Amino acid sequence: MDTSPPEVVGVGTLPDEPAEAQRHALPPGLAAALVFLASGAVLVLETASLRLVGPYVGVTLQVTSSVIGVALAAIAYGAWIGGWLADRRDPRPLLAPALVLASICTALTLPIVRYAGEVLRGGAAVGILLLTAMAIFLPAALLAAVTPLVVKLQLSDLRRTGQVVGRLSSIGTLGAITATLGTGFVLVAAMPSTAIIIGLAVLLGVTGLALAVYLRRQAGSTLPRPSRATAALAVLGLAGASFSAVAPNPCDIETAYHCASVEPDPDNSTGRLLVLNSAWHSYVDLADPTHLEFEYTKWIGAVADVMSPAGVPLAAVHVGGGGFTMPRYLTATRPGTRNEVYEIDGGLVELGQRELDVRPGPELRARVGDARMLIGERPDHSADLVVGDAFGHLVVPWHLSTREMAAEVRRVIRPGGMYAQNVIDYPPLRFIRAEVATVAAEFPHVALIAPPSALAGSQGANFVIVASDAALPLEALRQRLVTSADGPVTLLAGPGLDEFVDDAMVLTDEYAPVDQLLATS
């Protein structure tokens, strides 16, 4: 009988494998940097992609949800495939190509989105999902594959598996957080989306090439040399990415919130059209501030004209600035009017000053910030007229559509003052009904201005809600609408408005599904 002691194998280790795995592992700092970069790059892509697709499909809850959902799907599939490959092949030859391919796909995002966006333009759900998938899925999936490849290289001792996986997962999460905050607070404000995307592509490409050189020197001749097919793919990818230089760019100016352009009116040498994210937003006549081009602005002008004697100055608050059409109109028709404009996009204020004859002064004060916050700072009973004309693409931001917002508006309006709110809706008109019900929950006197065809549910249109704590001058307003409007217009109030609203919901801060109410299906 053999009495020699048995051979002891360390718990959680495999004989001879730890030394070999350790030899192939990356330095801890390099491994952490790669995971941090790859995870952060996905979140930069996610934020920038929302801005890239916005000019074509808008910036709605559905678009934001699509970008987040596609990004998460890319992360899931990329991590899965990266882990599958890591168990079947040496991860070292895969890391650098993954980064270089992610670089090429990131650069290709620009021409793909800008050419495909022209075809998929609109708010259809299928188009939104397709465009967001084109913008982010492939580069994000390639980047997500980096983490499991790095993790595999670092698992030199099974007793430390939890520590290695936990550490790298934590670093990846920190990379994602850093990229999210850095992109939202710094990059988007400092540079256009094109520069962000190209800069990210260059960073990934340089990192991938540097990593390839480092790994080959570390491994000597054990790593295969890049094949001609790989080199050809890289050249073709970079050549394709160069199309971003000639791809159609829908933005003349990119602000922190909008893709903006100012277009001249071919029929009026002094007319200017402000376009935000492909939607006509404002019209300004540089030579005639009393000229109101869009029908809804004429309706709001009629409200201002009938609320007090002609020429009497007002204290007006404007929720949303855009092209500053209404502040200019009120200043021209009622000298001495004090306009306070709440505009969340400081870039639009600068654009207005530069190209749309916006002149801040005693009669015009533009405050940059969220209107919901700014109106809360205004004293009680300090405004004669509040004009609501704020939009995220074609949608009133949900927090500006609730009963709590209407209560704030009523608080700042003086007795007898008026609230005129512009709303866009489409058949079956669920949102405008809900918004009228919401405003009516705070104001005892409410009317609605709209084209007859829109009220009948045959087409989408602008609607203007008029509200006050005092009886509205309906007859005077009706006569003024007839003289100022170019087409047929209906002023709906009393039982007719009640019938139109029916049992529509009142929107609150707790529940305001604006995007869902606007959906046409």
Side-chain angles (χ1 to χ4, degrees), residues 401-413:
S401 69
T402 64
R403 180 172 183 171
E404 289 82 355
M405 176 63 179
E408 282 293 296
V409 172
R410 186 180 183 187
R411 179 185 62 80
V412 304
I413 289 180

PDB file of all heavy atoms in Angstrom, residues 401-413:
ATOM      1  N   SER A 401     -47.837  71.004 -19.799  1.00  0.00           N
ATOM      2  CA  SER A 401     -49.209  70.738 -20.243  1.00  0.00           C
ATOM      3  C   SER A 401     -50.133  70.334 -19.099  1.00  0.00           C
ATOM      4  O   SER A 401     -51.304  70.052 -19.327  1.00  0.00           O
ATOM      5  CB  SER A 401     -49.210  69.615 -21.287  1.00  0.00           C
ATOM      6  OG  SER A 401     -48.858  68.376 -20.695  1.00  0.00           O
ATOM      7  N   THR A 402     -49.640  70.329 -17.866  1.00  0.00           N
ATOM      8  CA  THR A 402     -50.404  69.758 -16.759  1.00  0.00           C
ATOM      9  C   THR A 402     -51.235  70.800 -16.021  1.00  0.00           C
ATOM     10  O   THR A 402     -51.061  72.010 -16.185  1.00  0.00           O
ATOM     11  CB  THR A 402     -49.458  69.083 -15.757  1.00  0.00           C
ATOM     12  OG1 THR A 402     -48.606  70.084 -15.176  1.00  0.00           O
ATOM     13  CG2 THR A 402     -48.610  68.028 -16.435  1.00  0.00           C
ATOM     14  N   ARG A 403     -52.111  70.294 -15.168  1.00  0.00           N
ATOM     15  CA  ARG A 403     -52.944  71.185 -14.366  1.00  0.00           C
ATOM     16  C   ARG A 403     -52.093  72.042 -13.442  1.00  0.00           C
ATOM     17  O   ARG A 403     -52.406  73.223 -13.211  1.00  0.00           O
ATOM     18  CB  ARG A 403     -53.940  70.351 -13.543  1.00  0.00           C
ATOM     19  CG  ARG A 403     -54.852  71.210 -12.670  1.00  0.00           C
ATOM     20  CD  ARG A 403     -55.953  70.394 -12.020  1.00  0.00           C
ATOM     21  NE  ARG A 403     -56.853  71.259 -11.250  1.00  0.00           N
ATOM     22  CZ  ARG A 403     -57.993  70.860 -10.710  1.00  0.00           C
ATOM     23  NH1 ARG A 403     -58.382  69.591 -10.848  1.00  0.00           N
ATOM     24  NH2 ARG A 403     -58.748  71.713 -10.031  1.00  0.00           N
ATOM     25  N   GLU A 404     -51.013  71.477 -12.927  1.00  0.00           N
ATOM     26  CA  GLU A 404     -50.134  72.245 -12.046  1.00  0.00           C
ATOM     27  C   GLU A 404     -49.503  73.414 -12.793  1.00  0.00           C
ATOM     28  O   GLU A 404     -49.334  74.503 -12.218  1.00  0.00           O
ATOM     29  CB  GLU A 404     -49.057  71.328 -11.471  1.00  0.00           C
ATOM     30  CG  GLU A 404     -49.567  70.323 -10.447  1.00  0.00           C
ATOM     31  CD  GLU A 404     -50.197  69.077 -11.052  1.00  0.00           C
ATOM     32  OE1 GLU A 404     -50.335  69.023 -12.300  1.00  0.00           O
ATOM     33  OE2 GLU A 404     -50.557  68.155 -10.306  1.00  0.00           O
ATOM     34  N   MET A 405     -49.149  73.219 -14.070  1.00  0.00           N
ATOM     35  CA  MET A 405     -48.620  74.328 -14.862  1.00  0.00           C
ATOM     36  C   MET A 405     -49.705  75.372 -15.099  1.00  0.00           C
ATOM     37  O   MET A 405     -49.453  76.582 -15.002  1.00  0.00           O
ATOM     38  CB  MET A 405     -48.086  73.804 -16.204  1.00  0.00           C
ATOM     39  CG  MET A 405     -47.602  74.902 -17.144  1.00  0.00           C
ATOM     40  SD  MET A 405     -46.205  75.834 -16.478  1.00  0.00           S
ATOM     41  CE  MET A 405     -45.920  76.986 -17.847  1.00  0.00           C
ATOM     42  N   ALA A 406     -50.910  74.925 -15.408  1.00  0.00           N
ATOM     43  CA  ALA A 406     -52.016  75.872 -15.598  1.00  0.00           C
ATOM     44  C   ALA A 406     -52.278  76.669 -14.322  1.00  0.00           C
ATOM     45  O   ALA A 406     -52.609  77.871 -14.380  1.00  0.00           O
ATOM     46  CB  ALA A 406     -53.271  75.123 -16.031  1.00  0.00           C
ATOM     47  N   ALA A 407     -52.123  76.030 -13.167  1.00  0.00           N
ATOM     48  CA  ALA A 407     -52.311  76.736 -11.904  1.00  0.00           C
ATOM     49  C   ALA A 407     -51.245  77.814 -11.722  1.00  0.00           C
ATOM     50  O   ALA A 407     -51.534  78.910 -11.207  1.00  0.00           O
ATOM     51  CB  ALA A 407     -52.272  75.743 -10.747  1.00  0.00           C
ATOM     52  N   GLU A 408     -50.013  77.526 -12.137  1.00  0.00           N
ATOM     53  CA  GLU A 408     -48.959  78.534 -12.061  1.00  0.00           C
ATOM     54  C   GLU A 408     -49.268  79.716 -12.977  1.00  0.00           C
ATOM     55  O   GLU A 408     -49.058  80.880 -12.616  1.00  0.00           O
ATOM     56  CB  GLU A 408     -47.614  77.919 -12.450  1.00  0.00           C
ATOM     57  CG  GLU A 408     -46.966  77.095 -11.369  1.00  0.00           C
ATOM     58  CD  GLU A 408     -46.535  77.950 -10.193  1.00  0.00           C
ATOM     59  OE1 GLU A 408     -45.664  78.827 -10.346  1.00  0.00           O
ATOM     60  OE2 GLU A 408     -47.105  77.765  -9.097  1.00  0.00           O
ATOM     61  N   VAL A 409     -49.761  79.419 -14.170  1.00  0.00           N
ATOM     62  CA  VAL A 409     -50.127  80.491 -15.104  1.00  0.00           C
ATOM     63  C   VAL A 409     -51.241  81.362 -14.511  1.00  0.00           C
ATOM     64  O   VAL A 409     -51.179  82.597 -14.544  1.00  0.00           O
ATOM     65  CB  VAL A 409     -50.566  79.900 -16.459  1.00  0.00           C
ATOM     66  CG1 VAL A 409     -51.140  80.995 -17.364  1.00  0.00           C
ATOM     67  CG2 VAL A 409     -49.390  79.200 -17.143  1.00  0.00           C
ATOM     68  N   ARG A 410     -52.249  80.705 -13.959  1.00  0.00           N
ATOM     69  CA  ARG A 410     -53.351  81.472 -13.356  1.00  0.00           C
ATOM     70  C   ARG A 410     -52.857  82.328 -12.193  1.00  0.00           C
ATOM     71  O   ARG A 410     -53.315  83.457 -11.998  1.00  0.00           O
ATOM     72  CB  ARG A 410     -54.460  80.538 -12.873  1.00  0.00           C
ATOM     73  CG  ARG A 410     -55.678  81.301 -12.372  1.00  0.00           C
ATOM     74  CD  ARG A 410     -56.780  80.392 -11.880  1.00  0.00           C
ATOM     75  NE  ARG A 410     -57.947  81.173 -11.468  1.00  0.00           N
ATOM     76  CZ  ARG A 410     -59.020  80.679 -10.877  1.00  0.00           C
ATOM     77  NH1 ARG A 410     -59.096  79.381 -10.637  1.00  0.00           N
ATOM     78  NH2 ARG A 410     -60.029  81.460 -10.534  1.00  0.00           N
ATOM     79  N   ARG A 411     -51.888  81.821 -11.447  1.00  0.00           N
ATOM     80  CA  ARG A 411     -51.362  82.569 -10.312  1.00  0.00           C
ATOM     81  C   ARG A 411     -50.718  83.886 -10.743  1.00  0.00           C
ATOM     82  O   ARG A 411     -50.858  84.911 -10.071  1.00  0.00           O
ATOM     83  CB  ARG A 411     -50.331  81.706  -9.565  1.00  0.00           C
ATOM     84  CG  ARG A 411     -49.699  82.383  -8.361  1.00  0.00           C
ATOM     85  CD  ARG A 411     -48.610  81.518  -7.760  1.00  0.00           C
ATOM     86  NE  ARG A 411     -47.521  81.269  -8.689  1.00  0.00           N
ATOM     87  CZ  ARG A 411     -46.539  82.148  -8.948  1.00  0.00           C
ATOM     88  NH1 ARG A 411     -46.529  83.335  -8.345  1.00  0.00           N
ATOM     89  NH2 ARG A 411     -45.575  81.831  -9.787  1.00  0.00           N
ATOM     90  N   VAL A 412     -49.996  83.866 -11.882  1.00  0.00           N
ATOM     91  CA  VAL A 412     -49.263  85.073 -12.284  1.00  0.00           C
ATOM     92  C   VAL A 412     -50.126  86.041 -13.094  1.00  0.00           C
ATOM     93  O   VAL A 412     -49.744  87.199 -13.274  1.00  0.00           O
ATOM     94  CB  VAL A 412     -47.986  84.718 -13.073  1.00  0.00           C
ATOM     95  CG1 VAL A 412     -47.101  83.778 -12.280  1.00  0.00           C
ATOM     96  CG2 VAL A 412     -48.319  84.127 -14.428  1.00  0.00           C
ATOM     97  N   ILE A 413     -51.293  85.578 -13.580  1.00  0.00           N
ATOM     98  CA  ILE A 413     -52.145  86.457 -14.387  1.00  0.00           C
ATOM     99  C   ILE A 413     -52.976  87.360 -13.480  1.00  0.00           C
ATOM    100  O   ILE A 413     -53.562  86.929 -12.489  1.00  0.00           O
ATOM    101  CB  ILE A 413     -53.063  85.622 -15.306  1.00  0.00           C
ATOM    102  CG1 ILE A 413     -52.240  84.964 -16.425  1.00  0.00           C
ATOM    103  CG2 ILE A 413     -54.149  86.486 -15.919  1.00  0.00           C
ATOM    104  CD1 ILE A 413     -53.046  84.123 -17.368  1.00  0.00           C
TER     105      ILE A 413
END
